[in-house]
Amino acid sequence: MPRTPEIVTIPCRADNYAFLVHDPASGHVVLIDAPEAAPITAELDARGWRLADILVTHHHDDHVAGLPGLRAGARVIGAAADAHRLPPLDLAVRPGDTIACGPFGVQVIGAPGHTLGHVAYHIPQAGAVFTGDSLMSLGCGRLFEGTAADMADTLARLAALPPETLVCSGHEYTLGNARFALDVDPDNVALKARAVRAQAQRDAGAPTVPVALSEELATNPFLRTDDARIRAALGLADAPPVAVLAELRARKDRF
Ligand code: ZN
Ligand code: FE
């Protein structure tokens, strides 16, 4: 009987998420991002798991601050392009690399836009992609370093993954993102249903991530820059997709 890897979502800090991926057969455990050590250590202890690999999406403090308390005995993996501003890496990776983390073949996907060195990690055996602050639930990260064109390319790469892939993003931003999405795409039935469900999840104290890529494709305006209704709402009916993305991001920044 095939045994499916488990994905555990761990709330950290005010609104961050870290994720554990556990292979039941080998006991191998991978952590994606380290916002703070205590809740991650507590989760590991409660399950009797030990970290083998730590994958870092980008250098911002709210994704790496927990590393000093977690890295003993584990391998820390991050982008070679950002090695100078990440905590010390045991393995520096580049977009396009596939690395072995125990039984997992982890695909490194370039995800610039929020930061220039940002990467996402796709673990096909877990059916999941870990997107940090690039593709987010009903949104995308702010453009602190890259351009709208960088983010458009990033989102296109992530959107091309199998639609059943679970998108594990780095923050609980769904409700705020839903308010903006509904402002530019008010007649989207799938979006309205998702916003209602997200509110119920938050009311119950549950995370709204991960979410299937197929659902993001139907509801996230930043993945829907070809949509005629969104384009009409922005007054950009005939603009190139990257111009639509740039306008969405600028409006979201002011929203
Ligand atoms: Zn960030
Ligand atoms: Fe962040």
Side-chain angles (χ1 to χ4, degrees):
M1 206 177 93
R3 298 214 283 169
T4 315
E6 294 165 83
I7 301 173
V8 180
T9 304
I10 306 174
C12 297
R13 303 169 70 124
D15 56 26
N16 278 86
Y17 287 124
F19 299 92
L20 296 173
V21 181
H22 171 250
D23 173 53
S26 62
H28 198 91
V29 179
V30 179
L31 169 70
I32 297 87
D33 280 344
E36 65 175 322
I40 297 168
T41 301
E43 192 71 43
L44 290 164
D45 288 349
R47 293 170 181 271
W49 294 354
R50 185 192 299 257
L51 278 184
D53 294 302
I54 304 174
L55 306 174
V56 175
T57 62
H58 67 295
H59 73 281
H60 286 160
D61 192 57
D62 63 311
H63 297 257
V64 301
L67 277 174
L70 293 164
R71 66 181 302 155
R75 181 173 63 153
V76 178
I77 299 166
D82 274 347
H84 62 287
R85 56 182 180 175
L86 284 165
L89 298 177
D90 301 307
L91 179 64
V93 295
R94 292 179 172 75
D97 287 354
T98 298
I99 53 170
C101 293
F104 301 116
V106 179
Q107 300 168 354
V108 182
I109 299 174
H114 179 69
T115 68
L116 290 177
H118 198 303
V119 292
Y121 298 98
H122 179 217
I123 306 184
Q125 292 113 310
V129 64
F130 299 88
T131 59
D133 294 355
S134 59
L135 172 59
M136 307 188 82
S137 173
L138 286 179
C140 72
R142 278 179 188 263
L143 300 177
F144 287 126
E145 297 180 1
T147 63
D150 291 331
M151 186 59 85
D153 290 345
T154 289
L155 296 180
R157 278 189 288 277
L158 296 169
L161 293 171
E164 65 275 15
T165 304
L166 292 174
V167 178
C168 303
S169 54
H171 289 269
E172 180 58 61
Y173 287 166
T174 305
L175 292 182
N177 287 346
R179 281 190 287 279
F180 174 73
L182 286 164
D183 193 60
V184 295
D185 196 12
D187 298 321
N188 184 330
V189 174
L191 172 58
K192 286 193 268 193
R194 185 167 170 204
V196 169
R197 198 181 79 226
Q199 184 67 58
Q201 288 170 311
R202 296 309 292 150
D203 288 347
T208 63
V209 301
V211 62
L213 177 60
S214 57
E215 197 165 352
E216 286 297 325
L217 291 168
T219 56
N220 184 334
F222 293 90
L223 296 178
R224 297 168 53 72
T225 52
D226 288 333
D227 184 82
R229 289 177 305 191
I230 293 175
R231 288 170 155 264
L234 300 177
L236 293 173
D238 300 314
V242 64
V244 177
L245 182 75
E247 178 64 14
L248 283 170
R249 191 57 260 178
R251 288 190 186 212
K252 178 65 167 66
D253 288 347
R254 300 190 299 262
F255 190 70

